[in-house]
Amino acid sequence: MKRKVGALEKIDANLANLQHKIKRDPASYRDEFLKQYSQYESQREIFLQAPSSSTTTGIISIRDLIEFISHVADCYPDDVTGFPEQLIHILSLYHAELESELREKIVGSLVLLRRKEIIDSSTFGSMTQLLYHLGLTASRLLHTLFTILISTPSKSLRTLLFQKIISDLRTSNANATNHRLNRTIQTVLYTLVSSDRESSKGLWAVKITRELWKRQIWTDSKAVEIMKEAGLGENEKVIIGGVRFFLGGDKEREDLEDESSEEETVDIGKLKHQMGINKKSKKNAKVMNHAVATLKKKERKKKQPHLLNFSAFHLLHDPQGFAESLFSKHLQNTKSKLKLEQKLMVLQLVSRLIGLHKLTVLSFYSYFLKYLTPRQPSYTSFLASLAQASHSLVPPDVLEPLIQKIANEFVSEASAVEVASAGLNAIREICVRQPLAMNDTLLQDLVMYRKSKDKGVVMAAKGLLGLYREVGADMLRKRDRGKAATMGLKSGERKEQRFGEEVAGEIEGIELLEQWKEEERQRKRVEMGLPAEIGSDEEMEDEEDAGDWEVDEDETDDSGGWINVESDDEINISDSDDDKPAAKKAKLEGPSDDKENALPPKETIPTKPLSHLATTRILTPADHAKLAELRLVASLSSQLPSSRKKGSAGQQAVARHQDDPLTAESIEGLARLSRGKASKAEKVALAQLGKPGEQTRQSTQAKRQERKQQEGKSTTNREKARKKNFMMTLGKAKGKQKRSLVDRGRVLKQHVERSKRGGKRGNKGQ
């Protein structure tokens, strides 16, 4: 046995040495390579006669020969033309019987041959027969690995093949996007999911697509269509895999991108500080050069154009059909095999689609009626889904019965405080998206809960009150409207919102840029010695200039022979006999003492004017850069507590959930602090959730020391003395204990004189 092991070690050493020599001079060692290749062929024939009963020596020998030939195959491409075919044949037919290490070696060799471009992306016979029903052609290696992946019972082999497939696709798209390969693999995965909806093989298509989406290798609509078909499947695992992709795939991609950006962060100042203090060495210089290169690479990446990472929801081809199919197939269908938790995930996806794309699925809202009760498990998730599915194009008549049922079931004096708080928060979130779904009687009753003794209920009721002060103050009592809402109603600035009315779009933050330009113009006038505001004389000159132009136009019009019509008000065109234009004219002409008529008519209600800058000037790149800076400053200032109270409650709520989904935690609100069962530790832990970046509780001094260590700054002598080894301070402590009384008096006297002098340097009085 020792002789056999020694012989094998000698063969390994010889193969490694021969591999090194061949890579240096392939032509000189071609005969030696052919000898090893013929030995491989003989070992392969012996192995194929009895794959399951091969000896350990034979398996080790063929494994080493496969590894050797794979590494040097690019040196002799004409001599190894059949080598990839042979490996594919062995792996395809005997993957269930192969020894684990040999199987892993064959898979690794195939990936190595693919990277050396020994295996191309052309079609081949044996795998075409296996995938004949798909009618597709694809990459040779990926076809082989994927076919084995969905058929092998070995869990370790499936894990290995999944890693190799992802690695090969990442390598193929490293330098540039390989559109041809991506389209081919996406077509294979799409057909696998859609051809057999009951099979669990589609789960691997879901896993591969989700992993490549997370790594931003596949970012097109074809990948989204694969997951769409998975969500409409009939296998439970495939369905949930597709649904989870839409609910969390974009967040996974953002988290991975944030982690990669944090890893590349290099502090050049800290390294320079360490280089100036520590001893000069080649190692430190090498670290410094590597850090500078990393920083330059990061700066180059910043200057590159940023890729548009669209959300999976925005890349859907037919969101209306997708939402209706999901609802009818998995929620309305009584034969659905999904559990309650799985149905909740599908419900969240449908509600997210409806709310984001403003779809119209009226039967979806009546589905909630039987689940809107506090006795329903996970009732906060149902409330969040209902609020998320509400938008401005949903008819108020559809949402009003739901709001009435929430108020009857959840909001009452007999309900628990967390139930009442959740109900009020849900009603508020629905009304943020569709304010017309509330009637004034119910609103006035709900607003009265702001006098409750529970904090969560009070905050929820005040939130509802603040919302309708912005969007529907006329539905509130006069004492509840507040000063700003009352003045807005009297002046006509706040008009009644109509169903389906949309706000005209404009450039975000353009008013900030206009205000900044006005301030800059005033500053330049002050520097030139002129008044900051334009005087009346300058305004008169501008008006005269404009008047000259108007006079010229009038003169040219008169010269053309146009007839001057005195007034068009006297001409009344009407198709109805009931109209009385004369009475209307008299009513307009005559003064009226009626207070109701004192309000401005609907035609004269002032609307928000369009930005003068946006309508009269084309923004330059410098303007866009300044606009982005002003947006950032405004977003940071809006997070301050002093500015949060000034913003609109409705706008803040919509902006908070515009990108992120509405969760059950946001519906619960502050009710979790009101629960009597919660301990003090739970309340403290819940209160600390709002502090990002704080995993453990630390004092201010500990935070300061940790920040100094991260910045590479030194510590004080007193801090260094605390951390000094005890044995190093033992001699000094013993010396102090052995002092005589005279020595102690002398040391104390010197200390007093030194403190009067201002320390060792005598800094007193300076």
Side-chain angles (χ1 to χ4, degrees):
M1 187 64 186
K2 290 183 179 180
R3 291 181 181 179
K4 288 183 179 181
V5 174
L8 290 174
E9 290 177 354
K10 188 175 181 181
I11 290 174
D12 293 342
N14 290 338
L15 287 177
N17 190 20
L18 181 60
Q19 177 182 334
H20 177 67
K21 292 178 180 179
I22 288 174
K23 288 185 177 180
R24 294 181 63 185
D25 189 5
S28 301
Y29 293 94
R30 185 171 181 274
D31 295 336
E32 285 79 358
F33 171 75
L34 292 177
K35 289 179 182 179
Q36 298 295 334
Y37 191 76
S38 61
Q39 186 177 358
Y40 153 74
E41 289 183 340
S42 60
Q43 291 284 351
R44 182 179 62 85
E45 292 176 358
I46 296 172
F47 174 78
L48 291 178
Q49 292 177 0
S52 58
S53 60
S54 300
T55 60
T56 306
T57 306
I59 293 175
I60 295 175
S61 178
I62 192 173
R63 187 176 66 200
D64 294 337
L65 288 170
I66 288 173
E67 182 181 9
F68 166 72
I69 296 172
S70 301
H71 279 87
V72 297
D74 55 335
C75 300
Y76 311 102
D78 298 333
D79 297 327
V80 296
T81 53
F83 180 66
E85 292 282 353
Q86 295 168 1
L87 294 183
I88 290 172
H89 177 73
I90 294 173
L91 190 62
S92 302
L93 297 181
Y94 307 107
H95 59 84
E97 304 174 7
L98 290 177
E99 191 256 344
S100 59
E101 293 185 5
L102 176 60
R103 187 171 55 193
E104 184 177 350
K105 187 64 67 179
I106 292 175
V107 174
S109 300
L110 285 172
V111 175
L112 182 61
L113 293 173
R114 170 74 175 85
R115 292 179 180 176
K116 292 177 179 293
E117 297 182 355
I118 305 299
I119 300 178
D120 57 2
S121 298
S122 61
T123 60
F124 56 98
S126 60
M127 297 311 301
T128 306
Q129 294 176 359
L130 291 174
L131 299 173
Y132 179 77
H133 64 283
L134 300 179
L136 304 170
T137 59
S139 170
R140 194 170 191 174
L141 172 65
L142 294 177
H143 256 304
T144 305
L145 299 184
F146 188 73
T147 307
I148 298 171
L149 174 66
I150 62 178
S151 60
T152 180
S154 175
K155 185 176 180 180
S156 59
L157 180 59
R158 288 198 301 264
T159 305
L160 175 65
L161 292 176
F162 178 75
Q163 294 174 355
K164 296 298 182 183
I165 289 172
I166 298 297
S167 176
D168 186 68
L169 286 171
R170 290 181 63 186
T171 305
S172 302
N173 293 273
N175 299 325
T177 305
N178 193 341
H179 294 286
R180 183 178 180 183
L181 177 63
N182 291 340
R183 284 196 302 268
T184 305
I185 300 302
Q186 286 171 353
T187 307
V188 174
L189 299 181
Y190 181 85
T191 312
L192 178 68
V193 173
S194 59
S195 60
D196 188 6
R197 296 186 180 274
E198 295 182 357
S199 175
S200 62
K201 294 180 180 179
L203 183 61
W204 290 106
V206 172
K207 289 184 177 181
I208 292 173
T209 306
R210 186 169 183 174
E211 185 68 21
L212 295 175
W213 178 271
K214 183 175 72 173
R215 299 185 181 277
Q216 300 187 18
I217 298 172
W218 287 357
T219 56
D220 54 351
S221 59
K222 189 69 175 179
V224 179
E225 289 298 317
I226 295 173
M227 306 306 285
K228 174 183 173 181
E229 290 296 324
L232 296 176
E234 297 180 3
N235 186 275
E236 297 179 13
K237 294 183 179 179
V238 178
I239 293 170
I240 297 305
V243 171
R244 281 178 175 168
F245 167 78
F246 285 103
L247 294 178
D250 297 328
K251 192 173 187 307
E252 289 179 354
R253 184 171 62 178
E254 294 173 1
D255 294 342
L256 186 65
E257 188 176 1
D258 294 341
E259 290 177 5
S260 60
S261 60
E262 290 176 1
E263 291 175 359
E264 296 178 358
T265 304
V266 179
D267 192 354
I268 296 295
K270 178 181 177 180
L271 292 175
K272 286 183 178 180
H273 179 73
Q274 292 177 351
M275 287 283 291
I277 295 176
N278 299 336
K279 183 180 179 181
K280 306 293 186 295
S281 64
K282 292 183 179 180
K283 181 180 179 181
N284 293 339
K286 188 176 180 180
V287 171
M288 186 67 183
N289 294 334
H290 179 70
V292 172
T294 305
L295 188 63
K296 289 181 178 179
K297 181 180 178 181
K298 188 176 180 181
E299 292 295 329
R300 286 196 303 269
K301 190 179 293 185
K302 281 183 180 179
K303 295 179 181 179
Q304 292 178 355
H306 189 270
L307 297 176
L308 294 176
N309 291 330
F310 289 103
S311 172
F313 290 102
H314 297 287
L315 294 176
L316 279 170
H317 176 63
D318 183 16
Q320 176 76 32
F322 183 43
E324 291 177 353
S325 301
L326 280 173
F327 177 59
S328 60
K329 193 170 186 178
H330 301 313
L331 297 178
Q332 275 188 329
N333 188 10
T334 56
K335 297 181 180 180
S336 178
K337 300 178 182 178
L338 298 180
K339 301 177 182 178
L340 178 62
E341 294 80 5
Q342 297 171 340
K343 284 187 177 182
L344 272 175
M345 296 177 65
V346 178
L347 190 67
Q348 291 172 7
L349 175 57
V350 176
S351 64
R352 189 92 185 274
L353 286 169
I354 294 174
L356 185 62
H357 294 282
K358 294 189 175 181
L359 308 178
T360 303
V361 187
L362 298 182
S363 59
F364 179 74
Y365 301 98
S366 59
Y367 175 79
F368 284 95
L369 285 173
K370 60 181 178 180
Y371 295 106
L372 296 180
T373 172
R375 295 178 294 276
Q376 172 67 37
S378 305
Y379 64 88
T380 52
S381 299
F382 284 100
L383 293 174
S385 300
L386 175 58
Q388 198 166 228
S390 305
H391 54 84
S392 59
L393 300 182
V394 179
D397 298 338
V398 176
L399 292 176
E400 190 172 354
L402 296 172
I403 293 179
Q404 188 69 46
K405 182 167 185 182
I406 294 174
N408 295 336
E409 294 283 345
F410 290 85
V411 187
S412 65
E413 296 180 357
S415 301
V417 290
E418 58 267 18
V419 173
S421 177
L424 286 170
N425 284 328
I427 292 174
R428 177 177 176 272
E429 294 293 341
I430 295 172
C431 294
V432 162
R433 293 155 175 83
Q434 180 52 286
L436 301 177
M438 176 70 71
N439 58 69
D440 51 356
T441 305
L442 179 60
L443 176 62
Q444 293 170 8
D445 291 342
L446 295 177
V447 165
M448 292 299 294
Y449 280 91
R450 71 184 188 275
K451 298 180 181 180
S452 174
K453 296 182 179 179
D454 183 72
K455 184 177 181 181
V457 177
V458 170
M459 296 300 293
K462 286 184 177 180
L464 185 63
L465 175 62
L467 170 65
Y468 272 92
R469 282 178 175 175
E470 297 287 340
V471 299
D474 54 339
M475 299 174 64
L476 296 169
R477 295 189 182 94
K478 290 185 178 180
R479 61 185 180 186
D480 296 333
R481 292 175 183 175
K483 181 180 178 181
T486 304
M487 294 177 64
L489 287 174
K490 288 184 178 180
S491 62
E493 294 179 359
R494 300 190 181 185
K495 58 180 181 178
E496 183 181 357
Q497 186 176 356
R498 298 180 180 179
F499 173 68
E501 184 180 5
E502 295 288 340
V503 181
E506 60 180 10
I507 303 175
E508 182 184 357
I510 190 66
E511 66 279 356
L512 300 174
L513 182 62
E514 197 168 2
Q515 182 182 359
W516 177 79
K517 284 183 174 293
E518 180 66 22
E519 293 175 356
E520 287 294 312
R521 186 184 62 79
Q522 294 179 0
R523 183 181 60 82
K524 289 180 181 180
R525 288 180 62 86
V526 171
E527 291 177 356
M528 294 170 60
L530 299 174
E533 299 293 338
I534 298 178
S536 59
D537 297 337
E538 296 180 5
E539 291 180 356
M540 289 294 294
E541 291 178 2
D542 294 339
E543 291 178 359
E544 289 176 0
D545 294 340
D548 293 340
W549 286 101
E550 292 176 0
V551 169
D552 293 340
E553 290 177 359
D554 294 339
E555 289 177 357
T556 56
D557 292 341
D558 293 337
S559 62
W562 292 94
I563 299 173
N564 186 17
V565 179
E566 294 181 0
S567 176
D568 293 336
D569 295 337
E570 299 176 357
I571 302 174
N572 294 315
I573 300 174
S574 177
D575 296 334
S576 176
D577 296 335
D578 298 333
D579 293 340
K580 298 179 181 179
K584 290 183 179 178
K585 185 176 179 181
K587 185 177 181 180
L588 290 173
E589 290 176 355
S592 174
D593 298 333
D594 193 359
K595 295 182 180 180
E596 294 180 358
N597 295 331
L599 293 175
K602 293 184 178 179
E603 289 79 11
T604 60
I605 291 177
T607 58
K608 184 180 179 182
L610 294 176
S611 173
H612 179 72
L613 181 64
T615 55
T616 59
R617 180 175 173 180
I618 298 175
L619 300 183
T620 62
D623 292 337
H624 283 289
K626 189 64 182 178
L627 182 60
E629 180 184 349
L630 293 173
R631 284 178 190 163
L632 179 62
V633 173
S635 62
L636 292 177
S637 61
S638 64
Q639 300 298 325
L640 298 176
S642 58
S643 61
R644 284 181 185 174
K645 299 179 181 179
K646 299 178 183 179
S648 170
Q651 293 177 357
Q652 290 180 3
V654 172
R656 185 174 69 248
H657 300 298
Q658 189 173 8
D659 298 326
D660 298 332
L662 187 64
T663 59
E665 287 76 11
S666 58
I667 293 295
E668 291 182 8
L670 296 175
R672 292 176 293 177
L673 292 175
S674 305
R675 293 175 182 168
K677 297 180 180 179
S679 61
K680 183 179 180 181
E682 291 177 353
K683 292 183 180 180
V684 171
L686 182 62
Q688 290 180 351
L689 286 177
K691 299 179 181 179
E694 244 190 71
Q695 283 80 13
T696 57
R697 181 68 180 172
Q698 288 182 326
S699 63
T700 306
Q701 188 71 16
K703 292 179 184 177
R704 190 180 295 117
Q705 291 180 1
E706 185 178 355
R707 187 165 56 250
K708 287 174 65 177
Q709 289 180 357
Q710 291 177 356
E711 295 174 357
K713 296 181 179 179
S714 181
T715 56
T716 62
N717 290 335
R718 181 173 295 179
E719 292 174 351
K720 291 176 181 177
R722 290 175 183 169
K723 297 181 179 180
K724 185 175 283 188
N725 190 1
F726 175 71
M727 298 303 296
M728 297 174 66
T729 61
L730 190 59
K732 186 176 182 180
K734 289 182 178 179
K736 285 185 177 181
Q737 291 179 356
K738 293 180 180 180
R739 286 178 187 171
S740 62
L741 189 59
V742 178
D743 293 337
R744 291 184 180 180
R746 185 174 63 251
V747 170
L748 183 59
K749 185 177 180 180
Q750 292 175 356
H751 172 70
V752 172
E753 292 177 354
R754 188 163 55 247
S755 61
K756 288 181 180 180
R757 194 168 62 244
K760 292 183 179 180
R761 298 182 182 181
N763 295 327
K764 187 175 182 180
Q766 295 182 359

